[in-house]
């Protein structure tokens, strides 16, 4: 039993899962076949951030929580509250402004939500 091997596996699993989910939330409305699923996924994300946020803290994401547990077991400390900040900082080597990242994250998701609603309604009318 090699704990580090399992921790590395789960780190990359969550990294791929979370990043894919973000990309799907932002761009899933582009393809007609994925538009309904995209809308449901965005709504589930908002439910997590706001609905579960009442109990666990505004902006709560269970994927981030589990990923952070893995990273802490790997010895990582001082993890940001935001997965997006973690991703930006990991990719660029910068220490991005957490408030700016949070604001841009909300703007991007709400923009994707409005486009997803629009494209779904447009498809429904046809």
């Amino acid at each position: 039993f090699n704990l580090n091997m399992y921790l590395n596996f789960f780190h990359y699993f969550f990294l791929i899962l979370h990043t894919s989910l973000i990309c799907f939330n932002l761009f899933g409305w582009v393809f007609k076949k994925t538009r309904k699923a995209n809308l449901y996924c965005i709504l589930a994300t908002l439910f997590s951030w706001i609905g579960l946020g009442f109990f666990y803290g505004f902006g709560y994401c269970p994927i981030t929580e589990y990923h952070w547990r893995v990273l802490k077991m790997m010895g990582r400390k001082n993890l940001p509250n935001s997965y997006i900040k973690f991703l930006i900082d990991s990719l660029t080597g910068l220490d991005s402004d957490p408030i700016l990242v949070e604001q841009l994250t909300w703007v991007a998701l709400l923009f994707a939500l409005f486009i997803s609603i629009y494209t779904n309604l447009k498809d429904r009318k046809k």
Side-chain angles (χ1 to χ4, degrees):
F1 176 74
N2 184 346
L3 181 61
N4 286 333
M5 183 179 75
Y6 286 105
L7 292 174
N8 271 319
F9 168 80
F10 281 110
H11 165 58
Y12 286 106
F13 169 78
F14 286 122
L15 191 67
I16 291 166
L17 173 68
H18 210 174
T19 304
S20 298
L21 179 66
I22 291 165
C23 290
F24 184 68
N25 271 344
L26 294 176
F27 304 109
W29 55 266
V30 170
F31 305 104
K32 192 172 185 174
K33 288 187 175 187
T34 60
R35 287 180 181 159
K36 269 188 191 171
N38 171 254
L39 181 57
Y40 293 137
C41 193
I42 292 171
L43 292 173
T45 300
L46 287 171
F47 172 76
S48 176
W49 288 3
I50 298 167
L52 294 177
F54 281 115
F55 303 101
Y56 300 104
F58 192 65
Y60 176 77
C61 176
I63 299 171
T64 302
E65 166 131 354
Y66 295 130
H67 195 176
W68 277 196
R69 287 181 188 184
V70 169
L71 289 175
K72 285 175 184 174
M73 290 176 74
M74 294 173 75
R76 295 286 296 267
K77 294 180 167 83
N78 300 319
L79 293 165
N81 291 332
S82 163
Y83 176 79
I84 302 289
K85 177 177 168 33
F86 168 78
L87 197 57
I88 290 169
D89 293 356
S90 296
L91 292 172
T92 65
L94 300 173
D95 182 18
S96 59
D97 178 0
I99 294 170
L100 178 62
V101 169
E102 184 176 335
Q103 290 170 344
L104 292 175
T105 300
W106 274 100
V107 167
L109 188 71
L110 293 175
F111 180 75
L113 173 64
F114 290 123
I115 290 185
S116 185
I117 290 169
Y118 172 77
T119 55
N120 274 283
L121 287 174
K122 192 174 99 177
D123 289 347
R124 204 167 186 199
K125 288 179 183 178
K126 287 184 179 180

